[in-house]
Amino acid sequence: MTNEYLSHIPLSYAEHAHLGWRFSQQQVLRSRYTWLPISLSELARTSAYFPVVIIQQGQRWSMVVLLDDSLELQANLHSAEEAKDQFQPMCLQAYPFSLMPYSAHKSGMQLCIAETALANLQEKEVLPLFGDNRQFSTAVTDRFHLLHRMKIDAEIVHSACELLAKKGVLVLISDAEKLLTRIKDHSVPLYRIDIDAIGRLSREDFADLQMHHAMVLGIYQYSSLFHVSKFHRYG
């Protein structure tokens, strides 16, 4: 999710006890975000419906669904309710919350919320942020725990993608390949698995990829690109 922390603020009882939060998945999908990160545990299901690509931001690797293309496919192939059931990645389940590091003088992560999700508690469909004991509400606590699981998962994905790159089995997706419709509009390079390079790996390198989740991640990513033909069919 591009610039995912720009509008997120730390959540505190002192400042937000009188407020609640609301969430609309469609609001997120219509937002400025250009992709949604995919966790390793949800990759199998996601790759069954949408093209998944690998991106690198700075030194960090992740797997994502490109939001604009996926929405196009989602609109053409499924009803709204079906699409909701088929594509609810963890990042959408956790939204509008995120984790951010504390200041340099304090270790750990703090729970933050998108400012646009804050609302008056008296408004319709607004959920409480805190309970009577000044602790996070059950719904907020569930998302806090989910975000921590996502953070652990993200480290596994990063390490697996980093290993794929080290073994030389990632290739940059170019406009000439015509795999995705708006590659040039994305500000970071997009990568895919080079299946031929996989076949040229030594037995030791192949085993190394298997041992670190990289092989299964790569195979799911490669197979997900078969959905690209659906974009062109309905485009």
Side-chain angles (χ1 to χ4, degrees), residues 41-192:
S41 57
E42 59 193 346
L43 178 58
R45 189 177 185 195
T46 305
S47 64
Y49 293 101
F50 300 102
V52 176
V53 298
I54 296 169
I55 66 172
Q56 185 182 27
Q57 295 176 282
Q59 299 301 312
R60 297 293 303 177
W61 293 91
S62 56
M63 301 197 71
V64 303
V65 166
L66 299 180
L67 194 52
D68 45 12
D69 285 334
S70 297
L71 283 178
E72 178 183 335
L73 180 61
Q74 183 170 291
N76 283 318
L77 297 185
H78 310 292
S79 71
E81 192 58 37
E82 288 173 334
K84 180 180 177 182
D85 290 340
Q86 291 163 350
F87 185 50
Q88 276 192 308
M90 291 182 181
C91 63
L92 283 189
Q93 297 175 41
Y95 194 88
F97 301 96
S98 63
L99 291 180
M100 292 178 62
Y102 283 104
S103 65
H105 304 292
K106 187 175 181 180
S107 61
M109 307 293 288
Q110 59 184 328
L111 185 63
C112 298
I113 187 171
E115 287 187 271
T116 54
L118 292 171
N120 193 297
L121 272 172
Q122 278 66 51
E123 293 181 22
K124 186 179 180 181
E125 297 181 350
V126 172
L127 303 173
L129 289 165
F130 298 91
D132 295 334
N133 57 358
R134 298 193 174 194
Q135 301 298 312
F136 292 138
S137 67
T138 300
V140 174
T141 299
D142 288 344
R143 283 157 178 80
F144 183 60
H145 292 157
L146 176 60
L147 285 164
H148 275 285
R149 294 199 301 273
M150 288 168 57
K151 188 175 185 300
I152 295 171
D153 206 342
E155 291 302 319
I156 297 174
V157 170
H158 165 72
S159 297
C161 291
E162 191 174 49
L163 186 59
L164 289 168
K166 181 180 178 182
K167 301 295 185 184
V169 297
L170 290 185
V171 62
L172 193 65
I173 301 176
S174 67
D175 288 330
E177 291 184 86
K178 297 183 179 179
L179 283 176
L180 300 167
T181 58
R182 286 175 284 273
I183 290 176
K184 61 181 179 296
D185 294 338
H186 292 278
S187 58
V188 299
L190 310 178
Y191 295 85
R192 64 171 174 81

Side-chain angles (χ1 to χ4, degrees), residues 40 155-164 167 204-218:
L40 186 64
E155 291 302 319
I156 297 174
V157 170
H158 165 72
S159 297
C161 291
E162 191 174 49
L163 186 59
L164 289 168
K167 301 295 185 184
E204 292 77 14
D205 284 341
F206 192 91
D208 196 18
L209 292 177
Q210 282 186 312
M211 220 184 334
H212 295 91
H213 304 284
M215 184 57 68
V216 65
L217 182 151

